[in-house]
Amino acid sequence: MKEMRRAYEDTLRQVVAALADRNLSKVSRIVGLHENTVRAIASGKNTKPALETLDKLADHLFGGRHVS
């Protein structure tokens, strides 16, 4: 369980860092998430996005490297 939590937290940090220099509107359209969701994750307002949400972003940003 700790390993999964650590992987989730590491992936979230990487996603937030990768979103810093991206067009969030474009990312949200590509991955099929609401723009407000992507913006909340990128800004740190959403610190516990659903695993499915994090997977979608990681798939797009890192080519399939994700938590699950």
Side-chain angles (χ1 to χ4, degrees), residues 46-66:
N46 182 349
T47 60
K48 295 181 181 176
L51 184 57
E52 181 181 352
T53 300
L54 193 57
D55 279 344
K56 285 181 180 184
L57 289 167
D59 283 345
H60 170 67
L61 295 166
F62 312 124
R65 226 177 57 220
H66 51 82

Side-chain angles (χ1 to χ4, degrees), residues 6 9 15 20-21 26 33-34 37 39 44 54 59:
R6 187 171 303 140
E9 291 170 354
V15 164
D21 64 350
K26 186 175 180 180
L33 295 170
H34 196 281
T37 300
R39 289 191 180 283
L54 193 57
D59 283 345

